[in-house]
Amino acid sequence: MSDERADPTVSMTPVSAVPAVSAMHAVPDAVPVDAPLEAPGAQRVPWAAVAVFAIVSCGLAWLVASPLWVRGLGMTDPLLPVIAAAMMLTPAIATIAALLVERRHRGRRGARGILRDLGMWPLRPVGRTLGMSAAAILALPLLIAAGLLVVGLLGLARFDLIGFSGFAEQLDTLLPPGTPAPPIALLVAMQLVMIPVGAIINAPFAFGEEVGWRGWLLPALRPLGVWPALLVSGAFWGFWHSPLILLGYNFGLTDITGVLLMILACTVLGVLLGWTRLRTGSVWPAVFGHGAFNAAAGLGALVVAADSPVPPAWLAGPAGLITCAVMAAVVALLVAAGQFRRERLDARLG
């Protein structure tokens, strides 16, 4: 989550860069998440595979990010967007390594079985999967918008929803002198329309992460129980961001504090994305939700007033404490509505 550029982690790509769920029908062939699965030993956490996944994903993340550390330019390094995007693909490679370890214990599986286990295919039930994916594209940006609303109510920043003076001021610095700017309201409207488009454009990179975190790791930890699996997989997701966070990514902090904040943000967001995985059995709602969250990360830059104070990113940014509190409130509402009851999380996981 983000320095307000293309974030290839929980990356929050600014909007300008790229970029009550509907009724859900019962799964015809679903079984309760706590029911025994078919594969021998499926009710035990494959700790060897989990260890390989952890080592490979973190090791590759540091390897990919190492040029940023060697060059010493930090957040000003022009290679940052490319390296951050490449880093998003490392969990997918770690998933392949984990599957190879699992193969020694579970035996060879066909491509269809692996795709099913990772929540990639088949899309069954189609209505629930597509509906949840569409809901995620709409809902995740609203979480950032709700965080901005709280920031405004607390008086930490002022927003201009009519003249968009802060965005206009930024635009003036980018245009050559004397170049007339297009109507600012039109530009803002185009940026907002680009959020769902950005979610789709971001999806290949978000998939590189989600196939690891929610596709493989969450089901692998599922024998620990729903909440332990959600919390542990989300916390590890946050820790995996360390190579960029320690450079000042997302929060402008270059010590353990930034890493702990990222762990908190990814844990809470990971519960929401993980819930979509357990609810549908599919990884795709998490992929598109992740992409939408990234695409909406620059929402504050569109609406802030030109003379507004700028609160610190660790407090008011898209991965800051206020947005984390908003996401935690949404999780609490889902729990109160019974969405984490066993019969609700009935999608079959591989």
Side-chain angles (χ1 to χ4, degrees):
M1 305 184 196
S2 70
D3 99 295
E4 311 291 322
R5 279 180 286 189
D7 177 351
T9 48
V10 144
S11 21
M12 298 186 204
T13 310
V15 181
S16 57
V18 185
V21 177
S22 59
M24 300 175 185
H25 306 290
V27 185
D29 61 346
V31 296
V33 286
D34 288 329
L37 299 178
E38 296 169 357
Q43 286 300 293
R44 296 191 300 271
V45 175
W47 288 114
V50 169
V52 168
F53 177 87
I55 293 170
V56 173
S57 59
C58 288
L60 287 178
W62 276 100
L63 180 64
V64 170
S66 60
L68 298 176
W69 288 83
V70 172
R71 287 158 61 90
L73 300 178
M75 300 307 300
T76 64
D77 197 316
L79 291 180
L80 176 64
V82 175
I83 288 177
M87 185 172 152
M88 289 185 79
L89 304 178
T90 61
I93 299 173
T95 298
I96 296 173
L99 289 172
L100 292 175
V101 173
E102 275 193 313
R103 178 179 170 181
R104 298 180 58 186
H105 301 283
R106 297 181 60 181
R108 182 186 295 272
R109 285 173 290 165
R112 184 178 178 84
I114 293 175
L115 292 177
R116 184 197 65 197
D117 289 354
L118 296 177
M120 295 169 58
W121 188 263
L123 305 180
R124 187 168 53 211
V126 174
R128 178 185 295 183
T129 301
L130 295 182
M132 187 73 83
S133 298
I137 289 174
L138 295 175
L140 271 294
L142 290 178
L143 293 178
I144 296 178
L148 292 173
L149 176 62
V150 175
V151 169
L153 292 175
L154 293 176
L156 298 173
R158 290 189 299 274
F159 299 109
D160 180 0
L161 302 179
I162 299 176
F164 305 101
S165 55
F167 182 54
E169 188 176 75
Q170 295 178 53
L171 190 62
D172 286 341
T173 63
L174 298 175
L175 293 174
T179 303
I184 195 67
L186 176 62
L187 290 178
V188 170
M190 291 174 61
Q191 293 291 304
L192 295 176
V193 169
M194 280 298 295
I195 291 178
V197 176
I200 297 172
I201 295 174
N202 290 340
F205 294 101
F207 173 79
E209 288 195 44
E210 291 302 323
V211 73
W213 313 129
R214 258 62 64 177
W216 186 84
L217 184 60
L218 177 60
L221 298 176
R222 180 62 187 83
L224 297 175
V226 169
W227 284 104
L230 287 170
L231 296 175
V232 172
S233 60
F236 185 76
W237 179 29
F239 176 76
W240 168 86
H241 288 85
S242 297
L244 296 182
I245 299 301
L246 291 172
L247 287 172
Y249 206 61
N250 282 345
F251 307 108
L253 302 172
T254 56
D255 56 19
I256 190 63
T257 307
V259 175
L260 293 176
L261 285 168
M262 195 63 179
I263 289 174
L264 173 63
C266 287
T267 299
V268 182
L269 180 57
V271 169
L272 293 173
L273 296 179
W275 172 73
T276 69
R277 171 74 160 110
L278 298 176
R279 187 73 177 87
T280 65
S282 173
V283 75
W284 296 113
V287 168
F288 289 111
H290 188 157
F293 194 83
N294 293 352
L299 194 57
L302 292 179
V303 297
V304 70
D307 58 349
S308 171
V310 180
W314 61 263
L315 178 62
L321 292 177
I322 290 176
T323 304
C324 287
V326 169
M327 293 189 290
V330 172
V331 171
L333 289 174
L334 289 173
V335 171
Q339 287 297 318
F340 283 85
R341 292 199 307 264
R342 179 180 300 181
E343 61 269 23
R344 287 284 186 176
L345 306 181
D346 59 357
R348 180 172 185 164
L349 302 182

